[in-house]
Amino acid sequence: MLKILAIETSCDETAAAVVEDGRRICSSVVFSQLAEHQKYGGVVPEIASRRHVEEITGVCTAALAEAGMSWHDADAIAVTAAPGLIGALLVGVNFAKGLALALHKPLIPVHHLRGHLAANYLAHPNCRPPFLCLVVSGGHSHIVDVQSYTDFTIVARTRDDAAGEVFDKVARAMGLPYPGGAALDKLAAKGSAESAKRYPLPTPKMDGNPLDFSFSGLKTAAVNLLHNARQKGEEVEMADLAAAFRGKVTDLLAGHFFEAAKTLHSPALAAAGGVAANTRLRQLLEEGAQTRGLPLYIPPLALCGDNAAMIGAQAFYEYTAGHTADMTLNGAATMGINCKF
Ligand code: KG4
Ligand code: ZN
């Protein structure tokens, strides 16, 4: 039994968790700074870093207490080391280095997106590679071929904005508070698919990899539609526009994902990341997987957004593969999913 204390501070959640053998959550504590960033309409990196500094000790102490453990009972220390807001990441990385040094425990750096994928190992005992995963968050939109717990191929990516980012930007233009993805999703449920047709949105056209995504044109079209209506003093039926926008983004995500699964003959499917909480995306993925007779794994809502349990899950497999770090470990704002720390 390997009990890993995992730390996640890549954005605006200060999180710590204890995970056993990559599969069982002994504890998971998430301190969200959301309310503090909301008044600025987005995450303020400087504030995020400072709040991580203030909260990290308490959050780790709480995670250990919830697991009924002392600091010395942790077999290893894991931390998200990339990608993310650099100042925010460095708080977690340095705290984890201090712990590993003082407690004489191995230090395991984890890539944030590998962590998102691994949320499925916590929720679904049968989920094991190989599978094809749609990783959709505020910063990334990737289709990832997961060959093993530590081998990945990016099959497709966004050429511009991430799915979560466009959900948030359009939601903001609609007057919804940050981050508006979940609120837009809720509002869209009140719109009707029929009247959403009043708001036609463009289908992106690109050269190169046909499985890649592009969302910025869609975002601009929705924002322009709102601005133009405002200028003309016309009413926009927000629920219908939300339904039209959600429909278009999720059609693209699911469409490219199933196309990739067909091309690669993927034996199983998964989704991960904050946008995997989207009601319509979940529905489209479930229907598509059922039609094709393929198993589909999606984490429960609590494990879609940022948390440290997913980092602890992936850390177990990184550790098993010998991927530990020494005291020279640094954070990185950007890093490919296959890069080594
Ligand atoms: O994975 P995550 O918590 O953080 C990053 O690593 O970026 O993802 C956050 C993103 C935000 O953009 C948020 O608006 C979006 O996930 N999100 C949603 C929903 N819930 C969260 N987007 C669409 N529909 C939702 N229900
Ligand atoms: Zn994330």
Side-chain angles (χ1 to χ4, degrees):
M1 293 287 183
L2 197 80
K3 283 188 176 167
I4 296 179
L5 172 63
I7 296 168
E8 152 67 45
T9 63
S10 68
C11 192
D12 61 340
E13 264 95 21
T14 318
V18 175
V19 175
E20 193 178 81
D21 291 346
R23 294 281 174 171
R24 192 176 82 82
I25 303 176
C26 304
S27 68
S28 178
V29 177
V30 181
F31 172 80
S32 173
Q33 307 173 359
L34 195 63
E36 290 157 80
H37 297 283
Q38 244 163 3
K39 54 180 173 279
Y40 303 102
V43 177
V44 183
E46 170 80 13
I47 296 175
S49 309
R50 287 172 183 278
R51 295 297 287 124
H52 286 314
V53 168
E54 287 163 354
E55 298 298 334
I56 193 159
T57 312
V59 167
C60 287
T61 307
L64 287 169
E66 207 178 281
M69 288 163 58
S70 76
W71 293 100
H72 291 276
D73 295 332
D75 296 311
I77 310 296
V79 63
T80 305
L85 301 172
I86 189 63
L89 284 166
L90 288 178
V91 177
V93 167
N94 241 13
F95 194 82
K97 282 168 74 170
L99 281 181
L101 185 68
L103 300 169
H104 306 287
K105 305 287 177 176
L107 176 64
I108 311 165
V110 176
H111 189 285
H112 185 74
L113 291 189
R114 291 190 183 201
H116 269 302
L117 283 165
N120 283 301
Y121 305 144
L122 298 167
H124 307 290
N126 293 330
C127 177
R128 47 177 54 89
F131 58 87
L132 190 72
C133 189
L134 180 66
V135 189
V136 272
S137 71
H140 297 86
S141 301
H142 284 351
I143 298 175
V144 183
D145 188 23
V146 184
Q147 283 123 2
S148 80
Y149 288 106
T150 52
D151 291 295
F152 309 86
T153 302
I154 306 277
V155 176
R157 61 178 77 235
T158 179
R159 301 271 182 94
D160 38 58
D161 297 355
E165 198 179 343
V166 292
F167 270 120
D168 293 343
K169 289 193 174 142
V170 170
R172 187 178 181 176
M174 294 174 90
L176 300 169
Y178 177 86
L184 191 150
D185 188 16
K186 238 188 225 164
L187 185 62
K190 295 185 191 138
S192 84
E194 208 34 52
S195 45
K197 287 187 187 146
R198 275 193 292 152
Y199 302 117
L201 294 165
T203 299
K205 290 204 167 53
M206 294 176 302
D207 295 334
N209 184 356
L211 296 174
D212 275 353
F213 300 108
S214 167
F215 296 116
S216 76
L218 265 178
K219 170 195 70 183
T220 309
V223 171
N224 284 348
L225 194 147
L226 283 161
H227 286 171
N228 290 341
R230 236 163 253 157
Q231 266 170 3
K232 290 185 200 152
E234 289 169 6
E235 279 281 313
V236 174
E237 189 42 69
M238 293 298 182
D240 290 339
L241 178 60
F245 188 74
R246 181 182 71 166
K248 197 82 196 184
V249 172
T250 53
D251 278 350
L252 286 169
L253 287 170
H256 289 207
F257 183 58
F258 286 119
E259 201 52 46
K262 191 170 103 186
T263 309
L264 295 169
H265 305 288
S266 303
L269 307 173
V275 181
N278 187 273
T279 325
R280 186 167 188 274
L281 181 61
R282 292 174 87 95
Q283 198 182 332
L284 287 180
L285 294 179
E286 270 154 27
E287 286 166 5
Q290 205 164 24
T291 311
R292 291 162 179 81
L294 291 173
L296 170 73
Y297 307 105
I298 311 184
L301 297 195
L303 290 173
C304 284
D306 287 348
N307 65 86
M310 67 187 198
I311 303 302
Q314 181 60 24
F316 173 77
Y317 296 103
E318 299 292 351
Y319 184 72
T320 309
H323 300 166
T324 55
D326 62 21
M327 286 299 133
T328 61
L329 178 66
N330 207 335
T334 57
M335 182 185 250
I337 199 167
N338 282 317
C339 294
K340 300 258 179 292
F341 287 101

